[in-house]
Structure formats: structure tokens, C-alpha cells
């Protein structure tokens, strides 16, 4: 099982930048891919960006060219560099681990506690 601790959220003006961090601990060998989701109170949780162990990345079309996902495997830390922020990016962001499923300790997915990103006009 993997434990995730998020940091880096905050309040920023439109056009500014933030970098979210997600520190993974525990059975990090269980990690198949990691990602960042967003969720507003009235909406479903939505994938913003993802990255596989092989380094393949995915971005929602709304953030392509502005956000960059990366992973420092040595430090077991996931990052989301958020540039050119817009008010529509305001939300709670959650770090996520998709496990390999290899062995009992790698069966459970993991979620961070969430970090608030607020972008003012």
C-alpha cells in the first residue's frame, strides 16, 4: 500500500504559477502510474495529468501547454507544474496512484488528501 502526502497548493493571481508536490511512501514498488485529479463539489473527479513508470504522459486538453507533470522516482515524488493559471483551474487537486496489482500489498489504489488551488481574476 502507498501513502501520499500533497503540498504546494495556494492562492495565486491569474497568469501566475504553482507547483504541486505529492510524496509517496510505503510500498512504492507497487506504483504503476501516478496522476493528478481535480474535483469541484458539484462535479465528478476529473483526470488532469498522468504519468507512467516508463515516462509516458497524459494531459487533459484544457491544460496542455500550461501544465507539466513529472516524477522523481529516486525521491518517490510526483509534481505538477502549473503555469499560466486561470480562474477555471480553481479546485481541489488530488494525487493518485494506480497500483500494479502484483501481490496483495499492491492491490489497493491510493489517494492524497487533496490540496486547494485558488486562482483569482
Amino acid at each position: 500500500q502507498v501513502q501520499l502526502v500533497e503540498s504546494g497548493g495556494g492562492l495565486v493571481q491569474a497568469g501566475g504559477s504553482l507547483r504541486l508536490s505529492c510524496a509517496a511512501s510505503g510500498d512504492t514498488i507497487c506504483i504503476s502510474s501516478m496522476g493528478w485529479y481535480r474535483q469541484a463539489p458539484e462535479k465528478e473527479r476529473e483526470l488532469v495529468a498522468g504519468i507512467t513508470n516508463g515516462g509516458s504522459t497524459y494531459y487533459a486538453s484544457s491544460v496542455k501547454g500550461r501544465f507539466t507533470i513529472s516524477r522523481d522516482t529516486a525521491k518517490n515524488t510526483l509534481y505538477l507544474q502549473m503555469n499560466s493559471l486561470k480562474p477555471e483551474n480553481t479546485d481541489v487537486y488530488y494525487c493518485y496512484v494506480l497500483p500494479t496489482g502484483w501481490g496483495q500489498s499492491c492491490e489497493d489504489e491510493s489517494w492524497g488528501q487533496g490540496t486547494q488551488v485558488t486562482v483569482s481574476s
Side-chain angles (χ1 to χ4, degrees):
Q1 191 171 21
V2 179
Q3 294 79 46
L4 303 173
V5 178
E6 301 179 32
S7 62
L11 175 64
V12 67
Q13 292 180 286
S17 299
L18 287 172
R19 189 179 73 162
L20 307 184
S21 299
C22 175
S25 61
D27 296 322
T28 56
I29 194 174
C30 298
I31 298 174
S32 176
S33 61
M34 301 183 71
W36 291 97
Y37 285 73
R38 62 179 293 180
Q39 187 173 31
E42 301 295 332
K43 301 182 69 176
E44 72 279 2
R45 194 164 292 186
E46 177 185 9
L47 179 64
V48 177
I51 187 168
T52 69
N53 286 348
S56 298
T57 57
Y58 164 84
Y59 297 96
S61 60
S62 60
V63 306
K64 289 185 68 174
R66 298 189 296 119
F67 291 8
T68 302
I69 189 170
S70 62
R71 181 185 173 190
D72 186 335
T73 55
K75 295 182 179 296
N76 293 312
T77 301
L78 181 73
Y79 302 97
L80 185 65
Q81 180 66 46
M82 310 167 72
N83 297 329
S84 302
L85 282 162
K86 304 175 181 179
E88 66 188 59
N89 298 132
T90 295
D91 238 328
V92 178
Y93 286 74
Y94 296 88
C95 180
Y96 171 78
V97 163
L98 178 69
T100 63
W102 303 335
Q104 188 171 355
S105 64
C106 296
E107 291 179 349
D108 297 329
E109 64 184 12
S110 300
W111 290 96
Q113 80 278 12
T115 185
Q116 176 70 49
V117 172
T118 303
V119 184
S120 62
S121 301

